Amino acid sequence: TIVSMRNFYGSLRVKQDHGYPGATRRVLANGTIEHGTQIFGTDALRKMPTTYYAEDSGVGLAMRFCCEGRARNIGVIGLGAGTLAAYGHAGDRIRFYEINPAVQPIAGNLFTYIRDSGARVDVVEGDARASLAREAPQYFDVLVVDAFSGDAIPLHLLTTEAVTLYRRHLAPGGILAFHISNQHVNLGPAVALLAKAAGMTARIVSSPSNDDRGEFSATWVLVSDNQQFFNQPEVAAHPSAPKELPGLRLWTDDFSSLVPLLRW
């Protein structure tokens, strides 16, 4: 462990080892959950998106196929190690929203995803929903919702009112990418219900682990009204429609319950 700290939002540690052949690896952990890994070897390894953000993951598909070769405008709720900045090219804009003030110095100084990115990257500190509510429409091509702390669920980011706010910040045909990898809760049906209420299509993308590339198994839900995006061969080969859960109620700011979604 090369850095360890604790504040109101929990404990953060940066661990360093030589577990990847011929290279140093750094891991950002929030409690027991890893929030980003970077492999320091060649330039290609250092700039490679790892863990839950691999190129064949749901968010990887959204980033790669959202915009048909033009510059992209990306929003990300949850900074972590800044891994998604690895997708940034010249002309792109990536705007992170991060509630924990201890995370940005770690991402900026102990990891290089942000510094290496070709995109223009900025970080907004504070609760993402409150920040988005104050801002003018951002017209994001992709808005990533990845703000879990350990296995806790930030329910105020997963309500119908939150989705209405996200849509206000999406460009026409934009994509919402919800990270739902979780040991204890199956969030797929809840996100699918939110999408249905908003008149949007939801598709689950599950990707396998790859130890050689530092990639974890990951589950994402992509939500959009852009059928052209879902019809692209590279995208259509992966997603599946989420299963509905009979009797599940739509989550709002006045009601939510994890009990029907617990993995007993």
Side-chain angles (χ1 to χ4, degrees), residues 52-66 73-79 84 87 95-97 128 132 140-148 154 157-158 162-163 165-167 169-171 173-181 187-188 190-192 194-195 200-207 218-226 229-230 235 239:
Y52 305 103
Y53 313 103
E55 291 187 354
D56 64 344
S57 68
V59 72
L61 295 177
M63 298 287 270
R64 291 162 57 206
F65 299 110
C66 69
N73 185 16
I74 308 296
V76 184
I77 298 176
L79 174 60
L84 286 174
Y87 286 98
R95 187 171 178 84
F96 289 96
Y97 296 85
L132 288 167
F140 293 126
D141 296 303
V142 180
L143 178 56
V144 181
V145 184
D146 179 29
F148 302 112
L157 299 178
L158 292 170
V163 171
L165 177 62
Y166 301 155
R167 295 198 74 183
H169 287 281
L170 282 182
I175 303 159
L176 295 172
F178 292 90
H179 186 197
I180 64 165
S181 303
L187 289 173
V191 176
L194 289 171
M200 304 172 79
T201 298
R203 292 290 182 267
I204 287 184
V205 180
S206 296
S207 54
T219 306
W220 292 79
V221 182
L222 303 182
V223 176
S224 181
D225 55 12
N226 184 350
F229 165 75
F230 289 119
V235 179

Side-chain angles (χ1 to χ4, degrees), residues 4 11 15 18 28 68 72 83 95 120 132 192 216 218 230 252 254:
S4 179
S11 62
K15 300 178 287 184
H18 303 285
L28 172 61
E68 298 182 354
R72 298 164 297 180
T83 310
R95 187 171 178 84
R120 177 168 63 89
L132 288 167
F216 299 164
F230 289 119
T252 70
D254 295 320

Side-chain angles (χ1 to χ4, degrees), residues 73-174:
N73 185 16
I74 308 296
V76 184
I77 298 176
L79 174 60
T83 310
L84 286 174
Y87 286 98
H89 299 144
D92 293 346
R93 172 185 176 238
I94 303 179
R95 187 171 178 84
F96 289 96
Y97 296 85
E98 174 55 51
I99 195 171
N100 187 342
V103 172
Q104 184 177 355
I106 290 174
N109 293 298
L110 295 175
F111 298 85
T112 69
Y113 287 119
I114 293 175
R115 282 180 279 157
D116 290 339
S117 180
R120 177 168 63 89
V121 178
D122 60 316
V123 180
V124 178
E125 189 176 299
D127 177 80
R129 183 167 165 184
S131 298
L132 288 167
R134 290 191 298 265
E135 294 180 344
Q138 297 294 308
Y139 302 106
F140 293 126
D141 296 303
V142 180
L143 178 56
V144 181
V145 184
D146 179 29
F148 302 112
S149 177
D151 282 313
I153 309 299
L155 292 177
H156 72 297
L157 299 178
L158 292 170
T159 66
T160 187
E161 292 88 349
V163 171
T164 298
L165 177 62
Y166 301 155
R167 295 198 74 183
R168 183 168 73 86
H169 287 281
L170 282 182

